[in-house]
Amino acid sequence: MKISKAVSRVTDKTSSKSPGKLPASCAVMILAAGQGKRMRSALPKVLHEIGGQPLLFHILNRISETAPKAPVAIVVGHGKEQVEAAVLAQLDFSKMNITFVHQPEQRGTGHAARCAMDSPWGDAQVRAKNPVLVLPGDLPLIPGSLITQMVEPLGKGGGLRLLTCQLPDPKGYGRVVRRGKKGPVLRIVEEKDANAREKEIHEVAASIYFFHSPFLQASLHRLSDKNAQSEYYLTDLVANASRAKKKVDVLNWQSAEDLRGINDPWELAVAQKFLNERTVKAWAQKGVRFADPWSVQIDSQVELAEDVSIQSGVILHGKTRIRKGAIIGPRVVLKNVLVGEEAQLKVGTVAENSVIGAHAQLGPYAHLRPESEVGEYSKIGNFVELKKTKIGTSTSIAHLSYLGDAEVGSRVNIGCGFVTCNFDGRVIDGQRKHRTVIEDDVFLGSDCQAIAPIRIGKGAYVASGSTLTQSVEPDALAIARSRQVNKAGYASRLRGK
Ligand code: UD1
Ligand code: CA
């Protein structure tokens, strides 16, 4: 089985958890053109990662679960090419209906939304009377249920719905100004424009809105940039609607954690920690045992089975899949690895883009570099490194070896300190590295090297200390070392000198 297939085969189920689908007629706009100055990074903000995925992907995942058919516009600007390329490269989004809209200059969230609504995408939504859900690209923790509740149909005469939340520390967020304490919403005031009294307000707007599209398109043109940041604020549409006597619907969200915005590296780190805790807890509730849940890091696309046991300091990246009853030892680091049932990975094992068979035993400190495959019941011991190497079943490579570009059969025993010499510094027939094939039932003594390309035939026996430069026929005994000579009495003569 090819590794890529093995890993993708087990990923097929990932998109099935959905909290209920939205009507196909709702459109989604994601604002992702900002530079994210406060990140102080060359990477566009929405491409910074938590849980092993860019911030923007978390939002797209929620949309693909709740509204897989919705027309989605992603407003891009800063780092446009990078953001577009990242989204297009992700197969998970290939079935979504995504359009990129360009915001040539970053003149604020209102300007970003206007770029989208003035584009052919926006015209199509207005013509189809599709209401538009607007989401910022930097709120990666919003749950699918928030999206489904936001896009409940707007009442007659309603202009928009806005999501608010009570925050103990509202600093930095737009504050919701109401008539009286609990009256209708009048406007949103940004932190930088707020007076002392407004800064006391704890109800904030999270930059999540649902609009009637004709209202959205028309009122974006009436925004002004006369404010502290000289930007066009999307938030000002709330005041527009309220002045025009349109009903401003409010969805008050209880869990502030879901709305964690990411504006600087500290907020990124905090969101990562929070998402990780959520992920680990969810797996624990599904039957995974953690020795120290606060010490492990698990990306959001990882999948674990019941009865998996995870020791402290484990890091699981990418699309790693771990089957029933496997034991993952302390400080094991895996990226895109499939681990079979009841396999046991001992302390410090590191593996990437590899497949580990059921009941296999690895480590301590084994290293599987990409495209390696270990068969069922095989044993890869301490300080053994595999690269592009396929190992059959019940084979043992227990200590201190390197195998690169190799294929090893079943029931093979490789002694301590074996090395495939796969690189000779030359390129032959376009190949830089040469292959080693070790057939079934071979016994290799300790401290051997195989100078590739080379084949060791089925059932062959290689004497310890051999440097093999030629292939070995099946069932042969190969000895490739100089014969030992013992010189009687020489030791004491040497000492006497
Ligand atoms: C915004 C809201 C604020 C809210 C907060 C919640 C405005 C004016 N303010 O502030 O009320 O409390 O979010 O998270 O809307 N973007 C563009 N083009 C631009 C500017 C921004 O696409 O010209 C995108 C950014 O990439 C980002 C999103 O819009 O994904 C929000 O921008 P950001 O600068 O983070 O706004 P905040 O200051 O957080
Ligand atoms: Ca923000």
Side-chain angles (χ1 to χ4, degrees), residues 128-143:
K129 295 202 169 71
N130 283 341
V132 181
L133 174 69
V134 178
L135 300 167
D138 61 353
L139 295 185
L141 300 176
I142 53 171

Side-chain angles (χ1 to χ4, degrees), residues 179-192:
R179 180 178 301 133
K181 265 216 158 142
K182 287 189 178 152
V185 174
L186 298 176
R187 61 194 170 88
I188 312 264
V189 60
E190 289 302 295
E191 168 93 23
K192 287 187 178 145

Side-chain angles (χ1 to χ4, degrees), residues 31 33-34 38 45 103 106-109 137-138 174 190 205 207 263:
L31 308 180
R38 289 164 279 180
K45 176 162 80 175
Q103 184 193 20
Q106 281 65 67
R107 298 174 64 189
T109 48
D138 61 353
E190 289 302 295
S207 242
N263 298 297

Side-chain angles (χ1 to χ4, degrees), residues 41 45 47 58 77 178 192 196 266 295 312 346 384 404 428 459:
S41 164
K45 176 162 80 175
L47 294 186
H58 288 275
R178 290 174 177 268
K192 287 187 178 145
W266 174 246
S295 70
S312 41
K346 293 178 190 158
V384 173
I428 297 175

Side-chain angles (χ1 to χ4, degrees), residues 174-463:
R175 311 294 209 284
V176 178
V177 180
R178 290 174 177 268
R179 180 178 301 133
K181 265 216 158 142
K182 287 189 178 152
V185 174
L186 298 176
R187 61 194 170 88
I188 312 264
V189 60
E190 289 302 295
E191 168 93 23
K192 287 187 178 145
D193 299 286
N195 61 35
R197 257 213 359 249
E198 288 162 341
K199 281 185 185 157
E200 294 291 306
I201 300 173
H202 285 258
E203 187 181 13
V204 304
S207 242
I208 299 175
Y209 302 91
F210 192 51
F211 293 102
H212 274 312
S213 47
F215 167 78
L216 177 61
Q217 194 180 44
S219 38
L220 283 169
H221 285 262
R222 294 197 285 270
L223 287 179
S224 119
D225 64 352
K226 293 203 174 53
N227 52 51
Q229 304 184 77
S230 302
E231 284 186 355
Y232 295 94
Y233 293 163
L234 182 63
T235 46
D236 284 348
L237 293 194
V238 175
N240 277 5
S242 134
R243 273 200 304 273
K245 303 273 183 278
K246 297 237 174 230
K247 185 168 178 286
V248 177
D249 221 11
V250 174
L251 174 61
N252 189 259
W253 200 252
Q254 297 301 314
S255 161
E257 294 291 4
D258 295 343
L259 302 173
R260 260 177 202 290
I262 286 158
N263 298 297
D264 62 35
W266 174 246
E267 288 176 342
L268 183 76
V270 172
Q272 157 66 30
K273 185 169 156 24
F274 180 73
L275 174 63
N276 190 59
E277 192 171 319
R278 230 191 221 180
T279 307
V280 173
K281 185 174 174 188
W283 286 120
Q285 287 168 337
K286 285 184 187 161
V288 176
R289 291 188 302 280
F290 293 95
D292 178 3
W294 298 277
S295 70
V296 304
Q297 190 184 323
I298 301 185
D299 282 357
S300 33
Q301 290 192 300
V302 167
E303 284 201 2
L304 307 173
E306 284 176 11
D307 257 334
V308 163
S309 156
I310 296 190
Q311 307 295 310
S312 41
V314 167
I315 301 179
L316 305 177
H317 283 306
K319 294 196 167 178
T320 290
R321 304 280 175 268
I322 302 181
R323 301 256 202 251
K324 264 192 180 172
I327 300 174
I328 312 300
R331 295 187 295 286
V332 167
V333 180
L334 306 178
K335 182 174 184 183
N336 301 326
V337 176
L338 176 61
V339 180
E341 279 188 21
E342 316 253 339
Q344 194 180 349
L345 277 55
K346 293 178 190 158
V347 61
T349 292
V350 175
E352 183 175 348
N353 293 352
S354 291
V355 177
I356 297 166
H359 304 278
Q361 284 195 40
L362 271 76
Y365 307 103
H367 186 190
L368 268 50
R369 289 167 56 202
E371 294 179 50
S372 293
E373 201 176 323
V374 176
E376 293 182 5
Y377 294 98
S378 283
K379 181 175 175 194
I380 304 298
N382 45 193
F383 306 105
V384 173
E385 173 180 339
L386 305 183
K387 187 218 74 175
K388 279 194 183 169
T389 288
K390 189 179 169 192
I391 310 286
T393 59
S394 305
T395 281
S396 166
I397 310 173
H399 344 260
L400 302 162
S401 292
Y402 167 66
L403 287 90
D405 308 281
E407 193 177 320
V408 179
S410 295
R411 299 169 306 279
V412 170
N413 185 85
I414 296 185
C416 177
F418 173 64
V419 176
T420 56
C421 307
N422 56 338
F423 184 47
D424 59 10
R426 298 176 302 162
V427 178
I428 297 175
D429 296 335
Q431 287 278 94
R432 267 164 59 84
K433 302 289 169 76
H434 306 298
R435 291 192 63 72
T436 298
V437 179
I438 301 174
E439 296 180 354
D440 293 344
D441 302 304
V442 163
F443 183 94
L444 262 154
S446 291
D447 191 28
C448 289
Q449 301 95 51
I451 315 274
I454 193 165
R455 172 179 289 268
I456 304 173
K458 185 172 178 346
Y461 199 103
V462 179

